[in-house]
Amino acid sequence: QVQLVESGGGLVQPGGSLRLSCAASGSFFSISTMGWYRQAPGKERELVADIAVRGNTNYADSVKGRFTISRDNAKNTMYLQMNSLKPEDTAVYYCNRAPSLGWVSWGQGTQVTVSS
């Protein structure tokens, strides 16, 4: 069962911007703190940002001030606006519930590549 579908990734130059989308199905979305994760080759999966149902947010230090997480509960969709992208942001980006809630099945992810 496909529950999470990420989209919006691509190839951008350093300093560029992308907006990622996460489309969710199932009742878990509307009751769950959701997060964006990323995993670069050879590195551990990292929680980039999370957002509670009512909109409270947290960001990893590495992206704070550059990324903005948001959600539209009516659309069961979450977004990640990424500005001032750096090569170290290159990774596959995934969405899922906050770790404390337990993950649902992972989606396919969307590739973000930042390179000149």
Side-chain angles (χ1 to χ4, degrees):
Q1 181 184 0
V2 177
Q3 299 182 79
L4 297 166
V5 179
E6 301 92 345
S7 62
L11 173 63
V12 297
Q13 295 184 337
S17 297
L18 284 172
R19 188 175 76 132
L20 308 184
S21 297
C22 168
S25 59
S27 61
F28 68 90
F29 184 90
S30 61
I31 62 170
S32 302
T33 295
M34 297 291 297
W36 282 99
Y37 302 78
R38 68 185 182 187
Q39 187 165 27
K43 296 186 177 181
E44 299 292 326
R45 182 180 59 217
E46 173 190 19
L47 178 63
V48 174
D50 62 53
I51 181 167
V53 174
R54 295 174 65 87
N56 296 315
T57 60
N58 294 289
Y59 297 91
D61 289 342
S62 58
V63 308
K64 196 168 187 176
R66 300 187 298 119
F67 291 10
T68 303
I69 189 171
S70 61
R71 66 191 291 164
D72 186 333
N73 291 327
K75 296 181 178 180
N76 274 200
T77 303
M78 181 173 64
Y79 307 95
L80 186 67
Q81 178 66 47
M82 306 185 296
N83 299 324
S84 301
L85 283 162
K86 304 175 180 180
E88 50 263 46
D89 296 318
T90 296
V92 178
Y93 284 71
Y94 302 89
C95 58
N96 214 311
R97 306 210 299 194
S100 62
L101 301 176
W103 298 306
V104 299
S105 298
W106 294 93
Q108 82 286 357
T110 186
Q111 176 72 50
V112 172
T113 303
V114 185
S115 176
S116 59

